Amino acid sequence: MFDLVAQSVFSGLLAGAYYALIALGLALVFGTMRIINLAHGELVLLAGYIAYTAESRFGLDPLAALPAAIIIVALTSVIIYLLLTRIRVDREINSLILTFGIAIMLTNGILMIWSADIRSTTSGWYLDSIIIGDTLFAMNTEILFAVIGVLVVGAVWWWLSKSWYGRALRAVSSNRDAAKLMGIDPRTTEILSFAVAGLLASIAGIALYSGKVIEPSLGHSLTIKAFIITVLAGLGSVPGVLIGAVLIGVAESLTATLWSSALQGLVSMLLFLIVLLVMPSGLFGRTRRRG
Amino acid sequence: MAKLLEIDKVRAGYDAINVLWDISLTAEEGKLTCILGPNGGGKTTLMRAIMGLIPLRQGAIRFGGKDISNVPTWNLVADGLTMIPEGRMIFRDMTVEDNLLIGGFTRRCRANARANLEMAYSTFPRLKERRHQLASSLSGGEAQMLAMGRGLMEEPKLILVDEPSLGLSPLLTDEVMAILEQLKAQGRTIILVEQNTHKALKIADHVYLVRGGKVVLSERKEDVDMDRLHDLYFARDVAANRQDA
Amino acid sequence: DELIIGSQIPLTGSAARAGMGMNEGIQVAAKVFNETNGKHTVKVITIDDESQPAKAVAAIEQLNAQGALAFTGGYGSNIIGPASDAAERLGKVYMTSGGVATELSQRGLKTFFRISNATGYAKALAGLSDTLDLQSFSLIYSTRESTAEVAKLLEEIWTAEGKKVTLHPFDPSIADFKPVLHKIKLQDRPEAIAMVGYENDYVGIIRAAKVLKPDAKAIMGTWSLATPKMWQDFPDLMNNVYGTAPLPYPAQFNTPEEQTFAEAYKEMHNKEPDYLGIFGYVQGLLLFNAVAEAYDAGTLNSGGVQDALRKTEHDTLIGKVIFDESGDNTNFAHRMAQHQDGAVAIVWPKESATAEARFPAVPW
Amino acid sequence: MMKYLSLIIILAGAYLAVPLQFGGNDYVIGIVVSALTIAGIAVAWAMLGNLGGMISFGHSAFFGVGAYGSALLAMNAGLPVFPSILAGGVIAGVVSILTMPTLRLRGPYFALAMLAFAEIFRILAIEMRWLTNGSGGLLSIPRLPTVFGFDFGSRLGGYFVVLTLVLLTVFVYWLIRNRPEGLALRAMHDSEDATLVVGVNATRLKAAVLVVSAFLTGIMGAFNAHYINFLEPDYAFNGSWTTLAIVAAIFGGYKTLWGPVAGALIVYLVDQFVFKAIMPSGHQLILGGLLAAIVIFSPSGLLPWLASRFRKEAGDAAHP
Amino acid sequence: MLLTLDHVTVAFGGLVAVSDVSFSVSEHEVLGLVGPNGAGKTTLFNAISGLARPSKGKMTFCGHDLTGIPIHKRARIGIGRAFQVPQPMHELTVRENLIVAQHFGTGHSNPGKIDEILDLTRLGHKANRDAASSLALTEQKALEVGKALATNPRMLMLDEVLAGLETNGKRAFMQTLDDARQRFGVALLMVEHDIETISNTCQRVLVLNFGKLIADGSPEEVFRNPEVIRSYTGGETA
Ligand SMILES: Nc1ncnc2c1ncn2[C@@H]1O[C@H](COP(=O)(O)OP(=O)(O)OP(=O)(O)O)[C@@H](O)[C@H]1O
Ligand SMILES: Nc1ncnc2c1ncn2[C@@H]1O[C@H](COP(=O)(O)OP(=O)(O)OP(=O)(O)O)[C@@H](O)[C@H]1O
Ligand SMILES: CC(C)C[C@H](N)C(=O)O
Ligand SMILES: [Mg+2]
Ligand SMILES: [Mg+2]
């Protein structure tokens, strides 16, 4: 029994780090611009397919596809931003439609280019098992991307809270005109943030491709997962993303172990609701003063 | 004295309404120019127009002889022109300290950011007590201090200050006026919009009265006649208060 | 004469993968029919149902408006249900292989026909396990309709035979199967692991099993598993895995019919046929022949197609097809195959076996 | 007066011209019924979104509950179909009370909490096999009946029913919107404290629109169950009921009364009749492009855009 | 007594913003509340109107114990509130703002009174046109007062509604407020940093410093208090 639970928690932690990678790009854009990028999951997926092409066509290792993925995905992300800036009125709401439209286009584009077959890495190393202390089992890729995930969360957190551009980005999101008065060009900072979101999506995409199975219709559920975690974290909180993701990961995994995989979704959604009802602005959300 | 800022027959406003009507005004280098005027006269709008936050519909603005009519706000700031807006324009979702630090965003000031931060804290000790608190939790006056402190991080040549005393206690209002005088002594140029006529006139060199989007009076401080100033204020009030009579 | 047949199929959306496979088979059937019939040709009009029930219904109605004499296609019982209802209302035959839920043939429809059903799949797995004399199972299945149904049938069969079965349902959105496999490894300790799901589920389960290496003698699954494609895409996962399959690979096409099919398929799609292609082909050809027969008899509008389908046995690539009153193929029985180093060898039933089963053997 | 006239013309067109023109074509009518179903959800959604400032990502929860409620009542309790549709709506309304703790959440927090409910209901529908038959779903749900010789179970019959339901939904929205309660609700959007201190019981008002919106959505779900005669958890609680409705509402202009209806009709009909004809599979690619293009060119939605175009043209004509 | 506060304390985490404050307000009284920035004046208003919950102490209004009474009910029993940072109902026009306030604050509608309030606050010319969010700051403050008046309050809490007005504007506004007070019979509890205005209008002044009530008395008395001078006025008098 102990082994069972230990492995379950371990799997949950790894799953959590992976979820955090998926969610981080969305959380960044949402936290700083209040824009829900409904095409985020498709960006992740796109990176996965780029890795697939690199591997199946050119025999490249999935990680070696990262530069190409970053260029293409970050560019796509920036294009989404440039389109978003053309919306003049009610940007928070209208961005839903715009990014939804883009998501549909990406899904169908991916379907046309890569067909509906399922894809996943064939590079043996990623899938080989690694055994820790005789009782904990994982795939190499899970450990690798869990480590990368934690590092990336740390890096993004540092960037947002301590660097000049990160601070500028938060300033722009808080009060655009005031930010201009500080000498900040809002467009540059926002482009930067979308590019970073694209970069994060690329890393997530490689993690996805090298550990799970991809197919063209997957994007939507990735977006939803990312969004749930972002909200659970508390909008704009980067450490919250990691903690929220791990919470969901462990809850899912424990449900599967102690109860049934069929109820994973039920339990994680209930957990989500309970957290929100106790903390209406998420785990690390901040409430505004009244009056 | 050199004219640091020249505003030449500027028209500007919001969507359907025009607020500024061919307004002209200059600020001399190293001096404190005070803009007075009744509420809704367009003083804030004028500052926003200077800073490029709203587009000019007509006219031109020159800064140090260079036309800045179409220069984006952030470039103006980089060139040393800045505005300290009213306290509502702080970054509510950031901590007090981050608010201050971002004031030193321009490349020019980044190196001095830490030193300037300490300076802002020593000017407004209240802010230091609240440094890790979210700006949104500040009281009205504290927010006003924050806006002021943030502006001090920028090391500008020309500062536009919009009603710095708004919501400040009498003691702090005096403090703020003293800071402005000090800045002037450091050779900076200041344009001050203020409702507290009394205190503003004490430190001003030149006075403009803006009403209905137009300049109705432009005088050196020495020449200001308080009664006439009041009359000019009244001109509008009498009209607006018709119903009460 | 040219006979118009409507094909309602998911080419986009969640069922696109299967839909495309089935569509390839139907296209081959049309080609073969047109080249061999001599008297009639068929024109297949295909409409994408986008994997959505309401659009499938609309597709049927649109095909009807375009003059379709009968319908084929469909993947997923949830979509086939309302689509075949719509066909019934129009009084035209609906022929499929993509919906296996038992309930579909319990609705008392007159025009609904299918060549495959859940029982056939369950029987195949149960049959193989009898032959291998397996006594205890961990059954991992998706909570989707058809998968849950096959799992339920399997459980019934095995329990009736006095074997031990532990159920592990999972939600279709699950990707990490390690917790389940770990439970199986430590608690169930079964002789065999059985899976009812789809490609992505199989890949996830086998990967988790490769990591955790439970001590089982065999791992088996249902559709979409023992296919050349799975071997091609996931060679390291598939060796020794059992799954249902109508034909072995490399295909040994013995009868002339099988050969025609294989050639036409290669020519059109430039690849080896897989089971969905075969099913699509069989259902297509059955329907075309029946429509042609009814057309000749002038009974198109008086139930001629149904009668043609019901009255005789049909020899097809997947064996004899016999439709009962409710349109189910009572003779449907699947074969079990095993991935053997790149080959898909039929190992059950004995009479069609192309190789010995490797046992005990798992991919890890 | 002009306004009423155009309303009458539209109504006459909807009840008379469309059936006369397309009545015989089940395919066309079927698509229009689907579009109107989305329209109904879109209006109910926009009511909550515009009036309550509550953007919900989980309206499929109410759609599914209404559908299952009505189908089960009709199948197991033998309730006639029309009353059971009404009951389906009531059940959805009652179930929305369960979701009321979410009313204290704002913006995205609320949106996703509703999504969580939809997901929970979907899984419950799978797991509560004794009631719902699990993922096997319900087949052969009773059709709409024949009343006074008119078969409401036909495509055309379904059209009249759903059209009436959508119009009633719009009417309810209109009623609420024009009362001070409607104003207060709209105000609550981004100034909840401002409304509280003048005496608005914000929670109660929000709860009330939530119930009404859930009821109306549930009715659409119930109608759909009897129209398509089939239900399963993935279908009834499918996220696309919400997504399509949101897209339709925002696309058409979610702050207007008729925007959601127009949006649903245009998005669905253009996609199915035009784009699908151009590009039989993958036509959603064009749809995606259209959606993106419209928000860029007309951010407040299609209807306001058309209105401004119309006004402009009228103006241009007046001053050549 | 209209309002009584009995040892009220409000804290945010470790920060005590209002500390053990007791006072009362009688009908029709005009009471000033002053103090340095961050002294807790707005927080005190929040506690009375229900936006902040006191950790200690008791408040009664017109005989109602305020503990546990939700915000909207407090408005209905006669507590009116104008925010320091104006909070217009953004999407509505000025008139609609007032209609909502009246309908919910009083339970009935009276268009005549709304026109009266529009006159009083000089917002008549902007009543129907624009969304309230496009008003200038001073106009938004006037609207704050208007909304509070529309609820038919027995006590009006004004949080720096005069800030930003020039001297004449202040005088005129005070005049209209006094009119309103007499016409509608309300008590005023006002926060203001302008000593002249406070001295001219208030019968009684309360002074807060660091959350504590440090003085309570007539303006002359209070502004002569050395502690008040040191912490607040710096010697400035009217
Ligand atoms: N964002 C806006 N949109 C539309 N009109 C505005 C906006 N901001 C200000 N106005 C209008 O422009 C006019 C001038 O406003 P402005 O704020 O410039 O006046 P001001 O002189 O700064 O007054 P105050 O003393 O109240 O600060 C006012 O009539 C106001 O209603
Ligand atoms: N939600 C909150 N969280 C943390 N601190 C708060 C919060 N609200 C208020 N404060 C702090 O409480 C103190 C009192 O604030 P309050 O707004 O009551 O002051 P005030 O007397 O109204 O000042 P001003 O004259 O500047 O408006 C301030 O120091 C403020 O920073
Ligand atoms: C064998 C498969 C074609 C069955 C299909 N997966 C269904 O949903 O019924
Ligand atoms: Mg101003
Ligand atoms: Mg205050």
Side-chain angles (χ1 to χ4, degrees), chain A residues 42 99-109, chain D residues 284-288 291:
Chain A
E42 277 74 11
T99 55
F100 180 73
I102 293 169
I104 296 183
M105 291 200 279
L106 283 172
T107 303
N108 285 280
Chain D
Q284 298 203 321
L285 204 71
I286 319 182
L287 178 67
L291 292 177

Side-chain angles (χ1 to χ4, degrees), chain A residues 289, chain B residues 138-141 167, chain E residues 37-43 84 159-160 191 193:
Chain A
R289 110 167 229 173
Chain B
L138 296 181
S139 81
Chain E
N37 296 115
K41 305 178 292 293
T42 302
T43 307
Q84 179 175 10
D159 201 349
E160 300 197 23
V191 171
H193 284 301

